[in-house]
Amino acid sequence: MKPDLQLIVSQAEAEFESAKSLHDLDNAKSLFLGKNGKLASLFQRLKSLESAEKKIFGHELNLAKQSIENALFKCRKQILDNNIRKKLESQSIDISLPGRGANKGSIHPLTQSLRRIQEIFYGMGFEIAEGPEIETDWFNFTALNNPKDHPARSMQDTFYVEHKDEFGQNLLLRTHTSPVQVRYSIEHKPPIRVISPGKTYRVDSDSTHSPMFHQIEGLWLDPNINFSNLKGVYVNFLKEFFESSKLTVRFRPSYFPFTEPSAEIDLKFSEGPMEGKWLEVAGAGMVHPNVIKNFGLNSKKIRGFAFGMGLERLTMLKYGVKDLRLFFDNDLRFLGQFRC
Ligand code: PHE
């Protein structure tokens, strides 16, 4: 009896279509096209047929095989497409959700202040000089005319380093940026007009002091420089830095071993949250003749003024920050307020 090839083809199509996965489809495929599948046994049967019949049946058989293979191909593609669609649906991105926010960094308020300060002094013709944070006793104290028994040299104020340098000198963490005055002036010829910003260290810690803080030193050496020039330069700086002409500046007599005469510079705002109070912002004075000599210069011919200010203090005053330690806590709620 002649097998109903049409029936086999439609059985195969139905079987393939009901397959839910590639695995199901493979099983169905072997049922019809496999080594022991339905078609294989019919091809087997060909051998025993007469040649005329063989030709006809062989042709029909090949057509049936072709149809089954086409059906298989179509169903495999459907399953693959389906899989991709399901995957895309399960991984879909809801573009209407609010973003998590890209946390952009921002410039630290102290760096912002420092950049502004450098800009202002640069505008007045100052260059920038730097020096080491680990200093010798000579540069930090002796060359700056500090008497041997000056209290600043005591262990209570200064961080000493255990080792000595190659010349047997005591080493310490610089307590101010003034040693850069000496280093720079030994190596350069007047006129000298520099500011030197950097880290400084003292054994001190409370809401207005931290063991590490920043100073900015200023030095102008020239045969004709005088105290009025110091006032002019510094008052101009303060007005620019605080972006206000409504402030009063006072030079209050004071003492530093390395300047004579010496002054503390105080500031009074006539507006804003700090209105009416005198606030100290810097130490300053005319460079002491002994210090000029230590620069290797003739103190009869060369004169100069110097000043030193605290970067944290100026920044606190500018923005109304009450506790200096906030600058070093790295709390983003604090730092984020200075984003610009
Ligand atoms: N070095 C001084 C201090 O740290 C400040 C200062 C600098 C004073 C330059 C006068 C001249 O207190």
Side-chain angles (χ1 to χ4, degrees):
M1 195 194 91
K2 220 173 157 197
D4 185 347
L5 289 179
Q6 203 49 53
L7 182 68
I8 296 178
V9 169
S10 46
Q11 277 173 348
E13 281 171 354
E15 201 73 40
F16 294 161
E17 259 154 40
S18 69
K20 297 219 158 33
S21 64
L22 288 178
H23 186 251
D24 287 354
L25 195 65
D26 278 344
N27 288 343
K29 176 189 167 188
S30 63
L31 221 56
F32 293 93
L33 297 171
K35 255 197 279 167
N36 303 314
K38 292 198 172 166
L39 284 192
S41 64
L42 293 177
F43 275 108
Q44 204 63 39
R45 234 203 258 178
L46 266 186
K47 290 180 192 161
S48 57
L49 295 180
E50 302 265 313
S51 94
E53 222 180 328
K54 197 186 222 170
K55 205 173 168 192
I56 297 169
F57 187 55
H59 180 64
E60 287 175 353
L61 209 48
N62 273 324
L63 285 181
K65 188 181 174 202
Q66 194 63 52
S67 302
I68 293 176
E69 277 172 350
N70 287 348
L72 179 70
F73 179 81
K74 201 181 96 204
C75 289
R76 165 164 285 132
K77 189 169 179 308
Q78 246 165 29
I79 290 176
L80 287 174
D81 286 353
N82 238 350
N83 284 352
I84 291 175
R85 211 196 61 236
K86 274 194 210 137
K87 202 167 175 187
L88 283 178
E89 273 170 9
S90 72
Q91 294 179 345
S92 70
I93 299 167
D94 183 351
I95 55 164
S96 66
L97 280 176
R100 285 202 204 103
N103 285 327
K104 265 200 201 157
S106 60
I107 310 282
H108 193 281
L110 292 179
T111 308
Q112 287 185 36
S113 275
L114 177 59
R115 288 185 181 173
R116 181 69 193 121
I117 292 169
Q118 291 183 160
E119 230 168 56
I120 296 168
F121 280 103
Y122 197 68
M124 291 191 271
F126 283 74
E127 284 175 40
I128 293 169
E130 285 186 336
E133 288 169 32
I134 298 179
E135 236 339 333
T136 63
D137 189 89
W138 192 79
F139 278 113
N140 195 80
F141 293 125
T142 314
L144 290 164
N145 202 32
N146 273 82
K148 274 267 172 272
D149 54 0
H150 193 278
R153 292 193 176 206
S154 87
M155 302 287 268
Q156 279 83 46
D157 291 324
T158 304
F159 288 107
Y160 282 92
V161 174
E162 277 183 7
H163 304 282
K164 292 186 190 299
D165 78 353
E166 51 193 321
F167 306 109
Q169 283 242 24
N170 282 332
L171 291 173
L172 45 84
L173 299 186
R174 66 179 178 190
T175 57
H176 51 179
T177 42
S178 301
V180 189
Q181 286 188 37
V182 189
R183 287 183 175 273
Y184 193 87
S185 304
I186 286 177
E187 284 175 7
H188 297 81
K189 283 206 171 74
I192 283 172
R193 217 186 313 175
V194 285
I195 56 163
S196 38
K199 292 189 176 71
T200 46
Y201 303 84
R202 284 182 205 173
V203 184
D204 225 347
S205 184
D206 59 39
S207 66
T208 53
H209 298 89
S210 122
M212 187 284 298
F213 58 107
H214 297 80
Q215 282 195 340
I216 298 135
E217 192 81 10
L219 174 71
W220 189 333
L221 289 183
D222 190 279
N224 298 313
I225 213 77
N226 60 39
F227 205 95
S228 310
N229 300 132
L230 164 63
K231 283 185 94 168
V233 165
Y234 206 80
V235 171
N236 179 54
F237 158 69
L238 288 176
K239 289 187 170 159
E240 289 213 35
F241 181 73
F242 288 103
E243 294 168 39
S244 162
S245 51
K246 293 202 174 114
L247 43 87
T248 323
V249 182
R250 171 172 85 180
F251 284 68
R252 178 166 41 86
S254 184
Y255 170 77
F256 296 102
F258 37 94
T259 45
E260 183 59 38
S262 303
E264 306 267 359
I265 304 175
D266 299 336
L267 178 69
K268 191 168 74 172
F269 294 91
S270 60
E271 58 179 1
M274 300 288 183
E275 188 193 330
K277 274 186 245 157
W278 282 108
L279 303 153
E280 182 193 316
V281 287
M286 299 305 291
V287 182
H288 195 291
N290 289 348
V291 177
I292 302 253
K293 279 182 209 149
N294 290 333
F295 292 166
L297 298 170
N298 183 343
S299 62
K300 298 234 159 43
K301 289 194 179 142
I302 294 292
R303 301 195 293 173
F305 70 69
F307 56 80
M309 53 186 157
L311 179 62
E312 284 78 4
R313 180 150 183 81
L314 282 167
T315 312
M316 285 169 82
L317 290 176
K318 181 160 177 172
Y319 298 109
V321 175
K322 291 281 177 320
D323 193 324
L324 178 147
R325 291 166 293 197
L326 284 168
F327 289 125
F328 308 118
D329 284 346
N330 286 336
D331 185 331
L332 294 178
R333 288 169 303 179
F334 172 74
L335 296 177
Q337 295 175 57
F338 299 89
R339 198 161 279 155
C340 63

